[in-house]
Amino acid sequence: MAKSQPLFSLLLFIFISGTISQSIIQLSRDHDVYCNSWRFSVETNDVGYWDQVPSRCVSYVQDYMTGDGYRSDSEVAASYALGFAKTVEIAGDGKDAWVFDVDETLLSNLPYYAVHGFGYNLLPNSFSDSTREEVVIMISFRTIAELTDRIDCSAPFKLSESFDELSFDEWVDLAEAPAIKASLNLYKELKQLGFTVFMLTGRSEHQRNATAKNLQLEGYSDWERLILRESSDQGKPATLYKSQRRLELVNEGYRIHGNSGDQWSDLYGFAVSERSFKLPNPLYYIP
Amino acid sequence: MAKSQPLFSLLLFIFISGTISQSIIQLSRDHDVYCNSWRFSVETNDVGYWDQVPSRCVSYVQDYMTGDGYRSDSEVAASYALGFAKTVEIAGDGKDAWVFDVDETLLSNLPYYAVHGFGYNLLPNSFSDSTREEVVIMISFRTIAELTDRIDCSAPFKLSESFDELSFDEWVDLAEAPAIKASLNLYKELKQLGFTVFMLTGRSEHQRNATAKNLQLEGYSDWERLILRESSDQGKPATLYKSQRRLELVNEGYRIHGNSGDQWSDLYGFAVSERSFKLPNPLYYIP
């Protein structure tokens, strides 16, 4: 009996370890199955208009955005965009064009949404308003995971219940939105290949300086035109506004080969590109 | 020392169990991150044309299709379709229409692809050809998980390297494709709500009887019309063929509110529906 005890203990250990491992994996998978499906339905536009992440998926979205998932999805989408771009014959007349959206396409507002929105109620109540503002300013794309590790995620919290345009405009004016690395790399490759790049954003004309400054600080350069909403565009659905602007480019003789955007309203409508590339965004929906 | 040994063992056990659990979870997550991203890019159509699942994602796709992921994605997509359908005011003139694709939308060919395609090389070499055929016939959607549990998944295998039209036609003639449960439920709800249902499939006219028989056996009934490719449609891209058929419906006065399909070619083009619902399909792509 004494001889067989270590073997028995080992077998018991392996058995229990296996059981625990299986249980944890199963728990983790069960938790994610529905939210994965919700995200599938968001990204395929099956959901249509939505204004709030389902409460059971808030921590899932937080994990996705701050973990490997969002980074990997952005990289793979960019790789297919580049793969297509390399098949385009560049005529050399400067008319071979690529259109990029800005928010959640070239620049990430995750530092903003981590505090206002999915992160807001995660911050300890002891944080004063000025501290919250500092967090918005200091936080970088790379350190969100660190922030979320430091705060208590067990309390119930909510996400993006109402979009606060005023505070978002203040964030835009800071010009501190980090580049989405995969998009920055794609942008540089497209420039190398000889594409003429247009930026077509739902931001307003009065945000031109801050937007251009932010883009330049993050490494974007030599774009042909940064197109923003003029006063006559206010109130237009994004699909219409962006389609009209693309049509103007087509009428100027540009051949829009590719279009990268995180919203279907960046990609649908008329004067659409030869190929569209949907970037991930489970944070918000723009019709 | 003797007194503290059990406690030490327990702590050691908990520590090692935790480490193993973490390692397994991490390994599982790392394995899935890229393939999740590939699937995102497939389902958003970022990939465009593709004819083969990346080799590193074959087992991921197998797990997805035979596990909870595919079922859950189908259910959530159907729930959003139903949510939209309930907002449609049914005029009562029989002209409020919903269009369904058939393969991987109403019916699942997973039993076929489990053997020809992603499962083919998983079957033990000792299986004779006739046994393989029997497997195709006997296997049901519900028992694929059991099959995959019984066979050796450690050997390298491949998926859908070349689509074999002849063997697929034989499978269609069997009329044994199981219903996708979420779609069957949606179908019945839409009928209850008063929608006129059309089925618009890439299958050919000569497969009408087998297709209708299969649909009826699986619980679908009272559709308005089952539309298949006529000889004049052969060779047309699916997007064109399906758009032309939808346009005929529109010209007949039907209001196509919803369209459910697993391929973007089911949903894009002209005479598109008010809302489209993309069902998951990481098995194949039809342009």
Side-chain angles (χ1 to χ4, degrees), chain B residues 155-180:
Chain B
F157 50 91
K158 50 192 177 173
L159 191 150
S160 302
E161 285 213 335
S162 59
F163 177 71
D164 178 2
E165 194 168 330
L166 191 64
S167 72
F168 188 76
D169 285 355
E170 287 170 4
W171 159 248
V172 166
D173 286 342
L174 291 174
E176 293 186 355
I180 293 175

Side-chain angles (χ1 to χ4, degrees), chain A residues 159-180:
Chain A
L159 192 150
S160 302
E161 285 215 333
S162 59
F163 176 71
D164 177 4
E165 193 168 332
L166 191 64
S167 71
F168 188 76
D169 284 356
E170 286 171 3
W171 159 250
V172 166
D173 286 343
L174 291 174
E176 293 186 356
I180 293 174

Side-chain angles (χ1 to χ4, degrees), chain B residues 51-194:
Chain B
D51 63 0
Q52 209 177 340
V53 174
S55 57
R56 65 197 275 197
C57 297
V58 172
S59 63
Y60 165 90
V61 167
Q62 182 185 28
D63 288 348
Y64 168 76
M65 291 300 297
T66 58
D68 289 334
Y70 180 64
R71 178 194 52 70
S72 173
D73 284 1
S74 305
E75 283 172 2
V76 173
S79 75
Y80 283 107
L82 181 60
F84 162 70
K86 286 179 175 171
T87 69
V88 174
E89 279 195 44
I90 302 293
D93 59 358
K95 295 296 190 184
D96 293 297
W98 199 284
V99 175
F100 280 100
D101 169 55
V102 172
D103 292 302
E104 269 54 72
T105 299
L106 294 179
L107 298 176
S108 170
N109 298 300
L110 193 53
Y112 173 85
Y113 286 102
V115 183
H116 298 264
F118 79 76
Y120 190 77
N121 294 318
L122 281 172
L123 292 179
N125 288 332
S126 57
F127 274 37
S128 67
D129 278 354
S130 62
T131 309
R132 288 171 192 270
E133 289 304 316
E134 280 168 34
V135 171
V136 182
I137 295 165
M138 78 175 205
I139 198 171
S140 84
F141 194 49
R142 213 167 299 150
T143 58
I144 288 192
E146 292 166 34
L147 174 79
T148 53
D149 278 350
R150 287 209 316 272
I151 52 191
D152 175 18
C153 295
S154 60
F157 50 91
K158 50 192 177 173
L159 191 150
S160 302
E161 285 213 335
S162 59
F163 177 71
D164 178 2
E165 194 168 330
L166 191 64
S167 72
F168 188 76
D169 285 355
E170 287 170 4
W171 159 248
V172 166
D173 286 342
L174 291 174
E176 293 186 355
I180 293 175
K181 298 290 178 290
S183 297
L184 180 58
N185 292 338
L186 172 63
Y187 182 98
K188 288 178 176 174
E189 296 266 14
L190 292 176
K191 289 295 301 173
Q192 281 282 330
L193 288 170

Side-chain angles (χ1 to χ4, degrees), chain A residues 3-280:
Chain A
K3 197 178 170 187
S4 66
Q5 200 179 357
L7 180 62
F8 175 75
S9 299
L10 180 65
L11 289 173
L12 183 68
F13 170 75
I14 292 171
F15 173 75
I16 296 176
S17 301
T19 306
I20 292 174
S21 303
Q22 286 300 321
S23 303
I24 293 174
I25 290 172
Q26 193 55 48
L27 195 70
S28 169
R29 283 188 179 156
D30 286 351
H31 176 76
D32 287 353
V33 168
Y34 172 80
C35 300
N36 257 325
S37 296
W38 173 77
R39 200 163 61 79
F40 165 84
S41 287
V42 160
E43 298 297 4
T44 55
N45 213 18
D46 286 354
V47 176
Y49 180 82
W50 60 277
D51 63 1
Q52 208 177 340
V53 174
S55 56
R56 66 196 278 197
C57 297
V58 173
S59 62
Y60 166 91
V61 167
Q62 183 185 28
D63 288 347
Y64 168 76
M65 290 300 296
T66 58
D68 289 335
Y70 180 63
R71 178 194 51 72
S72 173
D73 284 1
S74 305
E75 283 173 2
V76 173
S79 76
Y80 283 108
L82 181 59
F84 162 69
K86 286 179 175 171
T87 69
V88 174
E89 280 195 43
I90 303 294
D93 59 358
K95 295 295 189 185
D96 293 298
W98 199 284
V99 175
F100 281 100
D101 169 55
V102 173
D103 291 303
E104 269 53 70
T105 298
L106 295 179
L107 298 177
S108 170
N109 297 301
L110 192 53
Y112 173 85
Y113 286 102
V115 184
H116 298 264
F118 79 79
Y120 190 77
N121 293 317
L122 281 172
L123 292 178
N125 288 333
S126 57
F127 273 36
S128 68
D129 278 354
S130 61
T131 310
R132 287 171 193 272
E133 288 305 316
E134 279 168 34
V135 171
V136 182
I137 295 164
M138 79 175 204
I139 198 170
S140 85
F141 193 51
R142 215 167 297 147
T143 59
I144 289 193
E146 293 165 32
L147 174 79
T148 53
D149 277 351
R150 288 209 316 272
I151 52 192
D152 175 18
C153 296
S154 59
F157 52 92
K158 50 193 178 173
L159 192 150
S160 302
E161 285 215 333
S162 59
F163 176 71
D164 177 4
E165 193 168 332
L166 191 64
S167 71
F168 188 76
D169 284 356
E170 286 171 3
W171 159 250
V172 166
D173 286 343
L174 291 174
E176 293 186 356
I180 293 174
K181 298 290 177 289
S183 297
L184 180 58
N185 292 338
L186 172 63
Y187 182 97
K188 288 178 175 173
E189 295 267 14
L190 292 176
K191 289 294 302 172
Q192 281 282 329
L193 287 170
F195 282 91
T196 300
V197 174
F198 293 91
M199 292 159 175
L200 176 50
T201 172
R203 293 187 180 189
S204 297
E205 191 59 50
H206 70 85
Q207 296 169 311
R208 176 178 293 280
N209 289 350
T211 304
K213 177 183 167 189
N214 198 156
L215 287 163
Q216 278 162 339
L217 283 171
E218 287 298 314
Y220 297 99
S221 60
D222 300 322
W223 57 81
E224 183 69 17
R225 214 176 294 168
L226 168 61
I227 305 167
L228 305 102
R229 274 183 194 259
E230 299 173 10
S231 54
S232 60
D233 298 314
Q234 300 303 326
K236 276 182 196 167
T239 307
L240 177 62
Y241 152 66
K242 296 204 166 187
S243 293
Q244 288 174 336
R245 288 292 174 277
R246 284 195 306 269
L247 185 60
E248 288 173 9
L249 297 180
V250 170
N251 290 340
E252 288 179 48
Y254 289 103
R255 298 174 291 275
I256 308 178
H257 297 286
N259 187 1
S260 300
D262 63 293
Q263 301 287 325
W264 285 108
S265 55
D266 296 330
L267 311 171
Y268 277 169
F270 49 90
V272 296
S273 57
E274 189 181 344
R275 282 282 300 277
S276 289
F277 297 92
K278 171 76 174 71
L279 275 71

